[in-house]
Amino acid sequence: MANHKSSIKRIRETEKRRLHNRFYARVTRSAVKKLRMCNDKAEATALLPKVTSMLDRLAKRGIIHRNKAANLKSKLAIGVNKMA
């Protein structure tokens, strides 16, 4: 167990931040999955900018790596463009 006030506070802050980050990462993963499952090109085209924005925000805040965000955005855009 931590002995210093600062380390006790740091533990509280870290746990709070972890839960916050986990929530936003989960929401974004669900949005990515929804976009991947989408069969309608019009719907997917409308959804793509929202998902891209979510990924950019996660990368900016350091929740996911910026290269991972870039790879996901690229794959999703390719998938949407391939739709007939």
Side-chain angles (χ1 to χ4, degrees):
M1 185 62 201
N3 292 321
H4 299 285
K5 276 188 175 182
S6 61
S7 59
I8 293 169
K9 181 179 178 183
R10 179 65 58 199
I11 290 167
R12 280 197 322 261
E13 287 176 341
T14 304
E15 179 64 16
K16 192 180 193 180
R17 205 172 294 122
R18 185 184 70 83
L19 292 173
H20 181 265
N21 290 344
R22 194 173 74 173
F23 170 76
Y24 282 105
R26 182 75 251 167
V27 168
T28 305
R29 278 199 303 272
S30 297
V32 167
K33 187 175 180 181
K34 182 179 177 185
L35 180 59
R36 282 190 177 138
M37 294 295 165
C38 188
N39 293 326
D40 182 29
K41 182 162 179 135
E43 186 183 342
T45 306
L47 202 57
L48 183 64
K50 293 175 184 168
V51 174
T52 302
S53 174
M54 291 171 100
L55 289 169
D56 284 335
R57 260 183 275 144
L58 286 185
K60 184 176 83 174
R61 293 176 181 161
I63 297 172
I64 62 172
H65 196 273
R66 60 190 167 85
N67 290 353
K68 180 180 176 68
N71 287 334
L72 280 170
K73 289 191 304 184
S74 173
K75 293 254 172 59
L76 291 171
I78 289 168
V80 170
N81 288 336
K82 276 186 181 177
M83 285 183 183

